[in-house]
Structure formats: structure tokens, C-alpha cells
Amino acid sequence: TQHSPPAGSRTMSAAEDAEWLRWVTKQFGNIAGEDKEIDLEEFKTALQVKESFFAERFFALFDSDGSGTISLEELLKALSLLVHGNQTDKLRFLFQVYDVDGKVNPRGCQGANGIPGSLTHRGAHSPRAGSGSIEADELHVVLRWCLRESGIALPEERLAALTSALFEAADKDRSGSITFEELREELEGFPEVMENLTISAASWLKPPPPTESPRRPRCLTRPYWHNHRGKLAFLGGYAFLNLLLFALGALWHAGLGGWVLVARGCGQCLNFNCAFLAVLMLRRCLTWLRATPIAKVLPLDQHVVFHQLVGYVVLALAAVHTGAHVANFSRLAQRDGRHVLTEYLLSARPGVGGLGGTASQTGLALQGLLAAMLIFSSPCVRRSGHFEVFYWTHLSYISVWTLLILHGPHFWKWFAIPGCLFALEKAVGLAGRRAGGLRIVEVNLLPSKVTHLVIERPQFFHYEPGDYVYLNIPAIAAYEWHPFTISSAPEQQETLWLHIRSLGQWTNRLYEYFQQPKLPSPEPEPLSRSLREKRCQRWAQVGTDGARLSADAECYIDGPYGTSTRRIFTSEHAVLIGAGIGITPFASILQSIMYRYRRRKQSCPSCHYSWCEEVRDEEMTLRKVDFIWINRDQKHFEWFISLLTKLELEQAEQEARGRFLEMHMYVTSALGKNDVKAVGLQVALDLLAAKEQRDSITGLRTRTQPGRPDWSKVFGKVAEEKKGKVQVFFCGSPALAKVIRAHCERFGFRFFKENF
């Protein structure tokens, strides 16, 4: 669990100090119960630590009288020292945590022959103190527990290398042990660690944050309007057009009664919105529009979101339209006296509207179909493993449009052009599928249940970096099509790559299908000898840690379709942020960037000095790219580690002139540098990375950072570089997207999120 810094990481006023004491006392009472003491299990629960080692170390140091429990007095005394103490006090505590005196068993810190020392003021020793120095084996034990607490798994030889790096650096006098003064001298060489040094054991007892004055809603700020101007202008125009259509529809039927005016006004809006629903799903047309100046005006990236919004508007308008007609028919039935309401609703009546006077019947059928489409399109249905329910109910749009033509006499005028384009797009997609399936050349089962498909690339399949396709594998589900980003670069001619994370029913079945052992089958006819040779050579050079399988399965693809990432190459300073499998569009983009960057490089035939042309062209105006990849644990980095290693090697020769591509890796499971439990581990990782020129977690030259990015610092550094207009591209969870969007608005950066 990640803890925020305690209130005591800064100087507290007298009022804050009193509030903090009250807060600690209250929390202590909630945890301790009637006996007014906290035992080890209660202490572990309060700390919420993953492993018991540090909980037991902290508990032993807090328990100054060795009673086996912590009283309120002992807790306040210890926390006051850690929260209000200076760096020496905190370093003294860190030293005592590490001074386990070699008496550590696998279950915790208390050995059979001794008990760790307690926390004492200014380092005075108690009968339970350690030896006063840290031996190599003690450091080895603590670093192993640091790795386990951070969720990082390293081979034993890497752990030994980390221990050796830190021990050799701290043992200044080569005496074979580290004293407190030596540890302090070593850590003073890491100002960031010293500045942030705190203790997570105090974080859960921090007072509540001070009440801030109400902040102005983000939607009323100038940066918000600047970053959302296209979407807001579109929504404003959409709302105005609907109001205008409603007014015109009502005025054209003035004098027929209030309910008729409402029904006709809604009907006119429905003509437009039902046709507009088709426009918003013309993926091929929208992809083409991305390459035109219109893309700078219209929010094409949100077409799926707007499709959902218009769907809700259609259902609401249809409900009001139907309700108004029912109210009018009820009025007519009461006036005539000879007819009941059901006759108006269920019987065809000339003059009512629709083909043969069937407006009432077709209207009720439309209302039922629209309600079913909305219910089964909800996220709870789509994400619960019942995608086929969504798929088949959504296919009723054919029936909806047919009924609308029969129901409304003027709908065909609105639908003529969108309907023809929609039919043309479907025909093109169907023709591509009938041309034949594509071979899945190779399958790699990667860590964390990611399936890497290597698919034969069709001859005339042209796409841009970051584009996506719809994938159908009949062996998995004959009628299901799912969107996935292409993770290979367009410059890779023979194959397409897809990296698919197992998150739902279909993706899990895909992974399990290729996990099953296949019976021997005749060797399928090769694509070409050159393709086979290049593929074998590529996999010999670029290793992955997953299982590699030859595959003779067939698949179909529909696409490609464009996304917001196409704007990257027209940016000046692009910041690419991927969370987890959200790296997939950027994997394609990073490869393509390096291909294009390589084409711009020049070299002197005499001295072989190379440089990159600064001339900006239409193909790529990029001056700088910052790539940020955030993962939950280290295993996720294995998906694209070979690609990133290759990109780093390409960048190595450009370091003298400043990196064109800069990478930033974060692992959120790791303890941050502001946590006392991780100080030794992070310093050891820094020392070993500087010595070996590679990171121990990923093997890259880029040092993996623990915890989550400090977006204020990250974007502040980007702004200081002044490489041109900054545009931020994100692919990941919606919750993180909101956080990053808010920081982009603060710094005046344009923000784009991957949507499909």
C-alpha cells in the first residue's frame, strides 16, 4: 500500500501539533481496544504492510520496555522522534532497522538467540540493541525483504550484486562492517533520499488534511475550455441544432394541439439523430477525415463517446415522442367515445402516419428495440462476459432503420447519404473478409496472460502508427469482432503484431486456446522463403520471456482505423504515457519514429561522424519524445523489453547532443524513495545501475523509478525543456486519464486519450 508523507514531514505549528496528538490518540484508541495496548498483530493490520519483516522490526523498536505490546506513551514518544526529529534521528532509526545482528529467521526479525534493539533517543543503546554495526549478511537479509515488500523478484546473484554494491560503497574504512557514521556519509550523497526520508509507520497516524477553501470547478477554468474547445463547440452546435429542429417541427404543426406539437418536434429531432448515429460509426470515413484540416476542428477522437451520447438522446426523445402520441390518442378516444385507446395504438388507421397508417405499431416496436439496445449495451453487460448479447442486440439497428423508414415519411431524406456510406463501408469490410483469412504466423504467450499474435500482413494493407483493427478468430468465436491496437510499425512489411491482454471472456479464451498442446499437423505452406528466414532471424535476435508457439490458425481483420495518436508526428514535443497494456499504440509509434529518425540521419563519408538533419518535414515535425510507461509490477515490462532495449541502443550515439527519445519507467508496486523501508534498496539499485549502466529490474539503461510519477515534476521538467508545443497522448485507465488531463490543463498542454 502506498502511503502519503506524514504530517510531520514538515514543521508543524502548535495548533497542528495539538491536532496531531488528538488524532494519534483517537486512532490508537480505535486500534488498541479495551486493553489500551497494541500487540504485534494489531500493529501489522494498522501498517497494512505486505510482509511481516518490517512490521516486526518497527514493533520491536517502538516497544521500548520489551513488554510485547505498545502503549500510547511509547507510541507517542517514538512517533514524535520520527515525525519531529531531524535527519540524524531518522537515519538512526533506519540504522537500527538494518542492524538485525544476523538473528533473523524466515518468518520475521526475531531470532532464536536475540531480540533487535529498541528505538532510543539519539542512538543510546538499550539491553535489546543490536551490535552497533551492519554486517554484509545483515544487509543481504534486509535487502531481500525490501524486494519482497516491493513485489520485485530478482535472481540470487542480482541480490548479491546489490548487497555488494551498497556494502562496498558504505564501508568507507574497509573494516567489514558499516557504522552509523559511514551509513550517514553514504546516504548524504543522495540528496533526494535525504530530503524525502520519512517513515510509513507514521503515515497512518497523520491528522486529516486541512480543510481547503472551495475550489472553482475545473469546467469554469480557462485551461479547461482551451483543452476542450473542440468538444464543447461540437456539443453546443449539436444542442442548438436539436433545439432548432424541435422548434421547426412544432411550428409546422401549429394548431393541432399541445401534445401533437411535442410529438412532432421530437419526431423531427429523431430524424436527425437516428441518421447521425450512423455517421458517428463511419470508421473508414472518420479515419480519412483525420488526415484533413477538419480533424483540427471536429472532435473525431470522441466519436464513440458521442455515439453513446446520441444513443441516450434518441432513447429520451423516443420516450417523449411516444408518450406525447399516447396522451393525444387518449384525448381523441375520450372525445370520440366510440373508440378505446388500444384501437389507436394497435390498429392501422389511415391518416395516422406511417406506411398504411401503421405509425402506432411501428413506433411501439421501435421503442422496444431501442430500449433493448440501450440495456444490453451497458458496460455491466459487455464486461461481464456476455459480449454476444451486446453484439446480437446491437445488430437490430438494421431493423430500427427499416422501421424508421416505414414509420416516418421524411426519415429517408435524412438517412439517404449516411445510409449509403454505411452500406458502402460494410460492403468494403465484407469484401475484405471474403478475400480470404490471414494466417497467424506465430503466437507468443507473455507474462500476465498477454497473447502476442504475429499475423500475415495483407498485400495492400496500409496503416499509420497507433491504428487499430477489429479481429475475428473463428476458432474462438465465429461472430465476435474485437478492436485491438496494432503494435508493430507500418515499416514492418511482412507481418502485423497484436498484443492482447486477457481481461474478458473472449481474450481469456484466446490465451487458453493457444495454451493447449496441439496435435502434430503437416507443415503449412510457407508465406515465402524470405519471410520465414527473416522471422527466424528476428526471433533469434529479439527474445521474449513467454512461450513461443508456431500457429496455423486463421483470422480475419477489419480496418485499419485511425486514432488520436496520428497527431503525434505533427507535434513538436510529444509526451506518450502508457499504463500497463496501454503501451500497445506507442509500441508501434516508437518503432516508426525510430525508422523515420534513422532516415533523417546523415553521416560524413570521411570521418563517419553522424548527425540528424534539423530540417522539419511534413512526415515528422517532432523535436523531442518523452515516453512514460507505468506498470503494476516488473513482469509487465517483459512484454516490450526487447523493443525498448533496441530503441535505447539507437539513442546511445545521440546522447552527446541530447536524447531525441527519453524513456521513463515506473513500477507502482515498489516502495517509494520517501519510505524508510526502501531507502537501502533504492540506493543499492542506483549504485549498481551507475556501475553496470543498466537497471536491475528491467535490464534497460533507463533507471526504473518506484511508485507513481509526480506529475507536477514530470510536466514541469517537460515545460522547462522548451522543445516546442507540448502534446500529451495517453492510453490507460479512465481514472488515471482524469488525473493527467487536470495536470495538462494546469501546464497548458494539449491532452489526447486513446478511444475506440
Side-chain angles (χ1 to χ4, degrees):
T1 301
Q2 297 292 320
H3 298 278
S4 54
S9 59
R10 57 180 175 83
T11 303
M12 299 170 66
S13 65
E16 290 175 325
D17 189 71
E19 182 185 4
W20 178 74
L21 288 174
R22 287 194 300 270
W23 177 257
V24 168
T25 304
K26 179 181 177 182
Q27 290 296 94
F28 181 90
N30 293 337
I31 298 170
E34 296 181 358
D35 61 356
K36 306 300 181 183
E37 298 276 340
I38 293 179
D39 60 24
L40 178 58
E41 291 304 317
E42 292 170 331
F43 192 73
K44 288 180 182 179
T45 303
L47 281 179
Q48 301 180 28
V49 292
K50 301 174 187 175
E51 303 290 347
S52 63
F53 173 81
F54 287 103
E56 294 182 25
R57 289 297 295 150
F58 295 164
F59 184 85
L61 295 173
F62 280 25
D63 181 17
S64 59
D65 61 3
S67 63
T69 59
I70 300 176
S71 66
L72 177 61
E73 181 182 359
E74 288 176 317
L75 182 66
L76 291 178
K77 181 180 179 181
L79 290 181
S80 295
L81 177 65
L82 293 169
V83 173
H84 297 292
N86 54 31
Q87 287 183 350
T88 301
D89 296 325
K90 297 175 182 179
L91 281 175
R92 180 72 66 182
F93 179 80
L94 172 65
F95 185 85
Q96 291 182 314
V97 169
Y98 280 33
D99 185 13
V100 294
D101 214 17
K103 303 179 182 72
V104 181
N105 61 40
R107 297 184 57 191
C109 64
Q110 297 182 5
N113 300 320
I115 304 173
S118 60
L119 179 65
T120 54
H121 207 67
R122 305 296 180 187
H125 289 281
S126 74
R128 305 173 64 235
S131 64
S133 63
I134 301 173
E135 311 293 333
D137 58 343
E138 296 176 74
L139 188 60
H140 188 273
V141 167
V142 176
L143 290 183
R144 174 182 282 117
W145 283 102
C146 286
L147 289 171
R148 291 188 60 175
E149 185 82 17
S150 295
I152 299 173
L154 295 180
E156 189 63 29
E157 59 269 18
R158 298 305 300 166
L159 175 57
L162 284 172
T163 304
S164 177
L166 180 55
F167 193 82
E168 290 176 4
D171 184 15
K172 307 296 182 182
D173 59 3
R174 299 295 182 265
S175 63
S177 62
I178 303 172
T179 64
F180 172 73
E181 294 300 329
E182 288 177 323
L183 180 65
R184 178 166 61 179
E185 182 181 349
E186 178 60 27
L187 293 183
E188 284 175 349
F190 296 85
E192 184 181 357
V193 171
M194 296 295 289
E195 180 183 355
N196 294 328
L197 186 61
T198 183
I199 174 174
S200 61
S203 298
W204 58 280
L205 290 174
K206 67 182 183 295
T211 304
E212 298 180 358
S213 57
R215 305 176 78 180
R216 185 169 52 170
R218 279 179 52 214
C219 59
L220 300 181
T221 62
R222 183 176 180 181
Y224 179 88
W225 283 81
H226 176 76
N227 211 30
H228 296 78
R229 57 186 183 273
K231 181 173 68 175
L232 294 172
F234 178 83
L235 288 173
Y238 172 73
F240 174 77
L241 182 57
N242 274 281
L243 290 173
L244 179 63
L245 291 173
F246 182 90
L248 292 175
L251 288 174
W252 288 338
H253 298 85
L256 298 180
W259 291 117
V260 176
L261 295 183
V262 172
R264 296 300 185 184
C266 289
Q268 190 71 356
C269 293
L270 282 167
N271 285 333
F272 161 69
N273 281 280
C274 291
F276 192 45
L277 275 173
V279 173
L280 291 170
M281 297 312 291
L282 296 174
R283 292 188 176 89
R284 284 184 170 84
C285 293
L286 294 175
T287 298
W288 174 78
L289 284 176
R290 290 178 186 278
T292 69
I294 296 178
K296 298 180 179 179
V297 180
L298 296 178
L300 301 179
D301 303 332
Q302 282 84 33
H303 73 97
V304 175
V305 176
F306 287 133
H307 174 80
Q308 296 169 343
L309 172 65
V310 174
Y312 287 117
V313 171
V314 165
L315 188 65
L317 288 171
V320 175
H321 176 76
T322 302
H325 272 309
V326 169
N328 184 54
F329 289 153
S330 178
R331 179 182 63 84
L332 293 176
Q334 292 178 359
R335 185 193 65 182
D336 295 342
R338 295 173 299 170
H339 304 283
V340 294
L341 178 61
T342 54
E343 291 185 30
Y344 283 94
L345 296 178
L346 302 179
S347 302
R349 299 174 62 86
V352 173
L355 184 65
T358 59
S360 298
Q361 296 77 54
T362 54
L364 291 174
L366 281 167
Q367 189 70 44
L369 286 174
L370 290 172
M373 289 178 71
L374 176 68
I375 292 171
F376 294 113
S377 298
S378 61
C380 62
V381 173
R382 297 184 64 177
R383 297 173 185 172
S384 62
H386 300 289
F387 180 85
E388 66 279 0
V389 176
F390 157 77
Y391 179 80
W392 288 110
T393 55
H394 228 64
L395 278 180
S396 61
Y397 64 79
I398 300 173
S399 302
V400 168
W401 285 333
T402 303
L403 288 172
L404 281 169
I405 293 173
L406 299 176
H407 178 80
H410 302 292
F411 175 71
W412 68 271
K413 301 175 185 177
W414 294 86
F415 188 66
I417 295 178
C420 289
L421 290 174
F422 190 85
L424 181 61
E425 284 207 359
K426 290 296 182 182
V428 170
L430 186 61
R433 297 170 208 167
R434 289 187 178 276
L438 302 174
R439 281 185 54 211
I440 299 177
V441 178
E442 194 158 2
V443 178
N444 298 296
L445 302 181
L446 303 178
S448 301
K449 297 190 71 174
V450 170
T451 308
H452 174 203
L453 300 180
V454 181
I455 302 172
E456 171 191 0
R457 180 172 175 176
Q459 185 177 1
F460 300 105
F461 187 85
H462 303 290
Y463 67 98
E464 296 294 325
D467 285 0
Y468 69 97
V469 294
Y470 277 84
L471 175 68
N472 169 258
I473 302 180
I476 308 298
Y479 301 104
E480 291 190 23
W481 293 78
H482 296 269
F484 299 105
T485 303
I486 303 172
S487 53
S488 55
E491 290 81 1
Q492 184 174 317
Q493 297 296 326
E494 291 89 358
T495 57
L496 299 172
W497 288 5
L498 299 178
H499 284 75
I500 302 171
R501 178 83 182 274
S502 298
L503 292 175
Q505 189 180 51
W506 189 91
T507 52
N508 276 306
R509 291 208 309 265
L510 174 71
Y511 188 89
E512 293 165 2
Y513 175 79
F514 288 110
Q515 215 175 18
Q516 298 171 359
K518 301 294 187 297
L519 294 175
S521 60
E523 175 70 21
E525 187 160 340
L527 303 175
S528 68
R529 177 169 296 181
S530 63
L531 172 58
R532 292 187 67 188
E533 291 175 353
K534 289 180 180 179
R535 195 172 73 237
C536 293
Q537 183 180 9
R538 182 177 71 248
W539 289 117
Q541 293 175 348
V542 182
T544 56
D545 292 331
R548 298 174 196 154
L549 308 169
S550 60
D552 55 1
E554 188 179 68
C555 70
Y556 297 87
I557 61 174
D558 179 22
Y561 299 114
T563 66
S564 61
T565 51
R566 288 193 172 192
R567 300 172 182 259
I568 288 175
F569 293 94
T570 59
S571 305
E572 293 176 329
H573 189 168
V575 180
L576 317 180
I577 305 174
I581 200 63
I583 187 184
T584 47
F586 303 134
S588 172
I589 290 161
L590 291 173
Q591 293 176 83
S592 187
I593 285 175
M594 295 313 301
Y595 276 116
R596 301 182 189 199
Y597 191 68
R598 197 180 302 143
R599 287 201 298 265
R600 291 166 57 181
K601 288 176 65 176
Q602 302 292 329
S603 60
C604 175
S606 301
C607 64
H608 302 291
Y609 173 75
S610 63
W611 71 95
C612 183
E613 289 183 333
E614 295 294 339
V615 179
R616 295 167 60 189
D617 50 43
E618 293 182 359
E619 187 181 46
M620 187 171 75
T621 60
L622 278 170
R623 298 177 185 172
K624 176 72 185 301
V625 177
D626 279 281
F627 170 60
I628 302 172
W629 191 11
I630 308 164
N631 272 317
R632 185 183 302 113
D633 55 54
Q634 70 179 114
K635 286 186 177 181
H636 295 164
F637 288 107
E638 297 171 5
W639 300 335
F640 292 97
I641 205 67
S642 57
L643 165 63
L644 299 179
T645 301
K646 186 177 179 181
L647 293 177
E648 277 194 332
L649 292 175
E650 297 233 6
Q651 283 289 292
E653 58 190 66
Q654 299 295 326
E655 287 187 359
R657 302 179 63 252
R659 292 189 181 185
F660 169 73
L661 170 64
E662 194 167 345
M663 293 191 285
H664 314 266
M665 307 293 165
Y666 292 88
V667 54
T668 59
S669 68
L671 299 173
K673 291 184 178 180
N674 64 337
D675 192 322
V676 73
K677 299 193 297 293
V679 169
L681 174 61
Q682 295 303 327
V683 170
L685 287 169
D686 284 341
L687 289 169
L688 194 58
K691 178 181 178 181
E692 299 181 345
Q693 293 298 302
R694 70 185 183 100
D695 181 61
S696 295
I697 297 175
T698 62
L700 297 171
R701 299 181 65 188
T702 302
R703 171 76 164 87
T704 303
Q705 299 299 319
R708 292 173 172 80
D710 183 333
W711 295 112
S712 295
K713 289 184 178 180
V714 171
F715 288 157
K717 182 176 179 294
V718 169
E720 290 173 0
E721 292 181 355
K722 301 186 186 302
K723 295 288 185 179
K725 188 176 180 180
V726 178
Q727 295 189 342
V728 178
F729 301 85
F730 173 76
C731 185
S733 69
L736 183 55
K738 292 180 180 179
V739 174
I740 297 174
R741 185 191 294 273
H743 281 85
C744 287
E745 291 167 8
R746 173 187 165 195
F747 283 89
F749 300 161
R750 291 296 305 277
F751 175 81
F752 302 96
K753 181 181 181 295
E754 183 85 358
N755 291 291
F756 52 72

